[in-house]
Amino acid sequence: MNLLGIETSCDETAIAIVKDGTHELAHCLSSQIKWHKQFGGVVPELASRMHVEKIHVLLNQVLDQAQLTLADIDGIAVTQGPGLEGSLLVGMAMAKALATILEKPLVGVHHVLAHVYSAYLNDRAPVFPYIAAIVSGGHTELILLRDHRHFERIGKTRDDAAGEAFDKVARLLGLPYPGGPEIEKAGLSGSETRFKLPLPLISEGFDFSFSGLKTAVLHLVQTLQSEGPLPVADIAASFQYTVGEILGRKTLKACQAHGISQVVFCGGVSANQSLRRQISTLLSHAGIETFVPPIRLSTDNASMIAARGYFQFQDFGANDPSSLLVRPSWPLCS
Ligand code: KG4
Ligand code: ZN
């Protein structure tokens, strides 16, 4: 089954074609980051307009790349939420139009849950039950998935998401947005152990807190600034290492509490290669296997939407195009 995936929840327009939920045939993405950067964050009105400008171009590109025509598409999966309302509506309108004209099934997908399915697009896929650590700019969640239908949240951030902490710490260090990749680059030549930073909530349950860590970096920067040039590489490496310790140790504790031996590490922050190594090493010492997406599918993309859409369609069937609405504040677990 060739599913066309459409993602327009925030500042990336993306369309993909995925066969049977696991084989990516083509993926085209247009990022708006450089346009929003000048305003210091995503401008919703601009985001919607840019999705409208790009979405048809990407549809033609993705079909060309896969050497397919619309007649070869067996269904449409679209991000239904959460996200920016105006942006979601652009993808939804395109998805409904295609599903209606082609007379093919339409599936509305939860963006955050879809991040887990980016791991099905790699060489090795996880087997249920497993725990997914979904770590992105807006979410830090530990989800226990028993199968494609049954999943529950066992941990979440109480304040900032981990990706948000990367972005804020990058700003403190004078690095551009988005901060995650910049911190990773800067940290390559730094010492992970030079600065000992706090591990908030480390011995309390499965919830996360990253705002105290960010504040600790702020105080460190203020102190060091008065002493001379800022040791950006060492601060970046120490911060990143601390995030890895928090994510790894909490995930390990959750696995042990629930008798789980497989973990999916996904979401934008999982693009970080040092964190991938650190977390999978920590878990492997306890006999737990870590699964990750291909790096380019860690951040927002449409292939994960098509992948989740496929398994959702198998289990729940299609949605009715005449009643499917976008859900900008759709909770992952209620
Ligand atoms: O999943 P994503 O693309 O969008 C959301 O749904 O939020 O995640 C974006 C987040 C940003 O905060 C970005 O700084 C972070 O992922 N990120 C990274 C890396 N690449 C992206 N964080 C750490 N290291 C990276 N290499
Ligand atoms: Zn995302």
Side-chain angles (χ1 to χ4, degrees):
M1 185 181 193
N2 293 334
L3 231 65
L4 187 84
I6 302 177
E7 156 64 32
T8 61
S9 66
C10 189
D11 58 351
E12 254 119 23
T13 322
I15 306 197
I17 302 170
V18 171
K19 187 174 163 37
D20 298 337
T22 53
H23 301 291
E24 187 187 58
L25 301 182
H27 184 241
C28 293
L29 180 145
S30 167
S31 170
Q32 306 174 355
I33 280 184
K34 70 172 185 209
W35 302 103
H36 295 292
K37 229 179 196 169
Q38 54 194 307
F39 302 103
V42 178
V43 181
E45 178 69 21
L46 180 61
S48 322
R49 282 167 175 268
M50 297 198 71
H51 287 309
V52 173
E53 268 177 36
K54 281 287 176 324
I55 199 161
H56 287 86
V57 180
L58 291 178
L59 177 63
N60 290 328
Q61 277 176 3
V62 87
L63 289 166
D64 276 358
Q65 205 185 87
Q67 298 192 315
L68 297 175
T69 68
L70 282 175
D72 303 307
I73 299 300
D74 304 308
I76 319 289
V78 64
T79 306
Q80 190 183 351
L84 300 170
E85 183 160 19
S87 291
L88 290 167
L89 283 169
V90 178
M92 183 60 81
M94 162 74 100
K96 285 188 177 191
L98 285 172
T100 308
I101 290 164
L102 300 173
E103 297 181 31
K104 299 291 178 189
L106 172 66
V107 189
V109 169
H110 193 291
H111 174 96
V112 181
L113 181 61
H115 271 293
V116 179
Y117 287 78
S118 59
Y120 288 78
L121 296 160
N122 219 342
D123 328 332
R124 296 174 320 125
V127 177
F128 294 116
Y130 58 82
I131 285 181
I134 311 173
V135 190
S136 71
H139 293 265
T140 307
E141 320 246 6
L142 289 177
I143 306 292
L144 170 56
L145 290 99
R146 299 191 190 282
D147 54 41
H148 296 297
R149 283 167 179 257
H150 300 98
F151 51 89
E152 64 191 273
R153 176 159 52 208
I154 51 181
K156 62 172 188 326
T157 181
R158 293 198 187 160
D159 39 57
D160 292 352
E164 200 179 342
F166 266 94
D167 296 333
K168 288 177 175 171
V169 165
R171 211 176 312 143
L172 292 174
L173 299 178
L175 301 170
Y177 177 86
E182 297 294 330
I183 293 215
E184 179 173 19
K185 233 185 293 163
L188 285 175
S189 57
S191 155
E192 293 175 337
T193 49
R194 174 158 172 206
F195 299 110
K196 196 155 173 45
L197 293 164
L199 301 163
L201 297 185
I202 201 67
S203 49
E204 271 177 60
F206 306 123
D207 278 355
F208 301 92
S209 164
F210 289 102
S211 76
L213 176 59
K214 171 204 68 195
T215 309
V217 176
L218 169 67
H219 293 149
L220 180 66
V221 166
Q222 285 168 339
T223 309
L224 294 170
Q225 251 162 358
S226 60
E227 295 170 4
L230 209 56
V232 171
D234 289 346
I235 302 175
S238 301
F239 164 75
Q240 182 174 282
Y241 176 78
T242 309
V243 173
E245 279 298 292
I246 298 169
L247 292 173
R249 282 160 65 171
K250 288 267 175 186
T251 308
L252 171 60
K253 209 158 80 162
C255 288
Q256 288 169 336
H258 290 88
I260 295 293
S261 60
Q262 296 200 349
V263 161
V264 167
F265 176 37
C266 59
V269 175
S270 75
N272 188 303
Q273 302 205 53
S274 309
L275 282 182
R276 283 181 172 214
R277 266 194 308 275
Q278 185 183 352
I279 291 169
S280 61
T281 305
L282 194 150
L283 293 173
S284 74
H285 288 150
I288 297 163
E289 216 181 337
T290 305
F291 295 78
V292 286
I295 285 187
R296 71 188 171 78
L297 299 181
S298 278
T299 45
D300 287 352
N301 66 85
S303 295
M304 68 184 196
I305 304 299
R308 167 62 194 173
Y310 172 78
F311 292 106
Q312 194 172 310
F313 179 68
Q314 300 297 316
D315 272 22
F316 295 95
N319 295 106
D320 176 358
S322 63
S323 59
L324 192 68
L325 298 173
V326 297
R327 299 184 65 181
S329 325
W330 192 2
L332 178 53
C333 303
S334 36

